[in-house]
Amino acid sequence: MIPAFGLVLGVVLGLVLEPTVPAALQPYLPIAVVAALDAVFGAVRAQLEGIFDDRVFVVSFVSNVLVAALVVFLGDQLGVGGQLSTGVVVVLGIRIFSNAAAIRRRLFHA
Amino acid sequence: MNAPMSSPLRRLLTPRLRRVDLAVAALLAVLGFAAVVQVRSTQEGGPLAAARQEDLVQILDELSNRNDRLRAEVSALNQARAELGAGGDRTAALAEARRRTQLLGVLAGTVPATGPGLLLTITDPEERIGPEVLLDALEELRAAGAEAVQLEGPVDLSVEPSQAAAGAQVRVVASTALVEGEEGGVVVDGVALFPPYRFVVVGDSSTLASAVGIPGGVVDNVEQRGGSALVEQQGEVRVGALRVLKAPRYARPAPQPGD
């Protein structure tokens, strides 16, 4: 429950504070969000399978975000930032879908 | 971590207070915050805010290309406008149209006319000169090439013709009709004229004079009826009487083969 509260708190904070994204972070924020979503879906799947580990989640969350941002940063430096961010989003999207499928099988046995 | 696997969902939803839980909650809070911020910035900034730098550069390039094309188009159109405005053809056409308007105005009687011509003054002491005599005289003058005609009366014979302030003046045009007046005289296009009459005619004065002076012509005719016809050739006469042109109700210009 507490993680769910944390999520709600973050959303509310974002709605209330209405911050603007710093220009330097603009290319990385959407990728970081997608990477974090991937970590969250993986965590939910692990929880349902009973192998959830808080420590693993924290590390995977942070590393996912950092690696995604790093890949996009490298891509920008190499001049293929657009293509690489598309690639990152595709890979993370595939992982999110497979995790969501596993969660679905666990929850609905279908 | 050794909870039974049979109820993992309940474990997920059961409140537990451990430090690592707080870390997870904090991370999720960061995720929610970042997601909301990103969504808001995407919605606020429109499609361009989410676009990458290369895409923005490309869009800017396209825009400046388009701008250049439109600028070139503007200058071409401005040039065309200037040419149209100052074009010699247009000025010439306008002058030609004005000239034709003036010529047609002389024929229709809407503009004054001046030029060489003659004055034909007809007296009628016995009141025997009716519209038919004047019509004969008019036909004779037209046949001799009269270009602009005006009929006046009564004319004050005691002054020079050039200074004469005639009574009534009527411009004689194609539709002019002469009828007998009820109280004597002649009614020309609704205007009552009384003798002595005077024709003011623009045309070749010698031709006109010989036309009215032929034996059995206008002068003879008038003198047979007890009147006198005085022909004065002038270097310049002025036909000043005007008439208002009525727009035709039914007739429309028909297309010509050359148009």
Side-chain angles (χ1 to χ4, degrees), chain A residues 27-36 38 60-76 81 84-85 88-89 92:
Chain A
Y28 309 114
L29 188 59
I31 300 295
V33 168
V34 174
D38 170 53
S60 76
F61 185 102
V62 173
S63 70
N64 250 14
V65 169
L66 287 182
V67 167
L70 181 69
V71 167
V72 175
F73 172 75
L74 277 180
D76 272 343
L84 257 188
S85 19
V88 168
V89 168
L92 293 176

Side-chain angles (χ1 to χ4, degrees), chain B residues 109-172:
Chain B
T110 57
V111 297
T114 184
L118 62 74
L119 304 175
L120 172 61
T121 309
I122 298 170
T123 59
D124 183 21
E126 299 179 17
E127 296 191 357
R128 289 172 54 201
I129 294 181
E132 71 278 2
V133 180
L134 297 181
L135 187 59
D136 275 348
L138 183 59
E139 296 296 333
E140 206 70 63
L141 291 169
R142 278 176 171 162
E147 292 174 351
V149 180
Q150 111 183 9
L151 185 54
E152 312 170 346
V155 180
D156 186 357
L157 296 176
S158 59
V159 299
E160 281 290 303
S162 56
Q163 303 155 5
Q169 304 178 332
V170 181
R171 183 70 168 265
V172 178

Side-chain angles (χ1 to χ4, degrees), chain A:
Chain A
M1 280 312 273
I2 290 180
F5 281 132
L7 186 61
V8 172
L9 178 70
V11 171
V12 170
L13 274 179
L15 288 175
V16 170
L17 294 179
E18 294 189 15
T20 53
V21 187
L25 283 182
Q26 262 177 359
Y28 309 114
L29 188 59
I31 300 295
V33 168
V34 174
L37 273 181
D38 170 53
V40 169
F41 273 86
V44 171
R45 177 189 182 180
Q47 176 73 37
L48 288 174
E49 290 175 350
I51 56 172
F52 178 76
D53 188 335
D54 307 304
R55 221 171 296 277
V56 171
F57 170 71
V58 170
V59 171
S60 76
F61 185 102
V62 173
S63 70
N64 250 14
V65 169
L66 287 182
V67 167
L70 181 69
V71 167
V72 175
F73 172 75
L74 277 180
D76 272 343
Q77 299 305 309
L78 297 174
V80 289
Q83 293 89 322
L84 257 188
S85 19
T86 305
V88 168
V89 168
V90 167
V91 170
L92 293 176
I94 290 172
R95 283 170 52 105
I96 289 173
F97 263 97
S98 62
N99 281 335
I103 294 167
R104 187 198 67 221
R105 276 195 292 277
R106 278 282 161 181
L107 284 182
F108 305 115
H109 306 289

Side-chain angles (χ1 to χ4, degrees), chain B:
Chain B
M1 292 316 291
N2 300 322
M5 291 178 63
S6 54
S7 63
L9 191 58
R10 182 185 296 176
R11 268 194 62 194
L12 184 68
L13 298 176
T14 306
R16 298 164 299 163
L17 255 182
R18 289 186 300 153
R19 210 158 53 186
V20 186
D21 274 339
L22 288 177
V24 171
L27 284 181
L28 283 175
V30 169
L31 169 61
F33 183 77
V36 168
V37 168
Q38 176 62 26
V39 168
R40 288 187 81 96
S41 76
T42 305
Q43 285 172 348
E44 279 171 9
L48 287 182
R52 308 186 57 77
Q53 194 174 348
E54 305 96 283
D55 298 339
L56 288 174
V57 169
Q58 198 178 348
I59 292 170
L60 193 61
D61 269 357
E62 283 170 7
L63 279 179
S64 57
N65 277 344
R66 186 171 157 75
N67 203 6
D68 287 347
R69 279 201 308 275
L70 288 177
R71 234 180 257 282
E73 197 175 341
V74 164
S75 66
L77 287 175
N78 271 335
Q79 197 177 345
R81 190 185 63 179
E83 280 171 5
L84 282 177
D89 284 351
R90 185 187 163 97
T91 315
L94 199 59
E96 171 69 13
R98 286 218 177 91
R99 200 179 59 82
R100 284 177 62 92
T101 306
Q102 293 288 315
L103 289 179
L104 292 173
V106 170
L107 286 178
T110 57
V111 297
T114 184
L118 62 74
L119 304 175
L120 172 61
T121 309
I122 298 170
T123 59
D124 183 21
E126 299 179 17
E127 296 191 357
R128 289 172 54 201
I129 294 181
E132 71 278 2
V133 180
L134 297 181
L135 187 59
D136 275 348
L138 183 59
E139 296 296 333
E140 206 70 63
L141 291 169
R142 278 176 171 162
E147 292 174 351
V149 180
Q150 111 183 9
L151 185 54
E152 312 170 346
V155 180
D156 186 357
L157 296 176
S158 59
V159 299
E160 281 290 303
S162 56
Q163 303 155 5
Q169 304 178 332
V170 181
R171 183 70 168 265
V172 178
V173 295
S175 63
T176 294
L178 297 91
V179 297
E180 196 159 358
E182 287 178 13
E183 305 161 11
V186 174
V187 177
V188 182
D189 291 343
V191 179
L193 302 182
F194 296 95
Y197 309 106
R198 174 177 287 155
F199 283 99
V200 181
V201 188
V202 176
D204 181 1
S205 57
S206 60
T207 306
L208 292 168
S210 58
V212 297
I214 57 171
V218 175
V219 175
D220 279 358
N221 202 356
V222 168
E223 284 171 356
Q224 278 174 16
R225 293 168 188 254
S228 69
L230 176 64
V231 177
E232 299 164 274
Q233 297 187 34
Q234 305 267 330
E236 176 158 335
V237 297
R238 178 179 164 82
V239 174
L242 301 182
R243 67 172 53 231
V244 178
L245 207 57
K246 282 192 299 183
R249 274 179 68 191
Y250 305 105
R252 296 280 178 275
Q256 296 175 18
D259 283 354

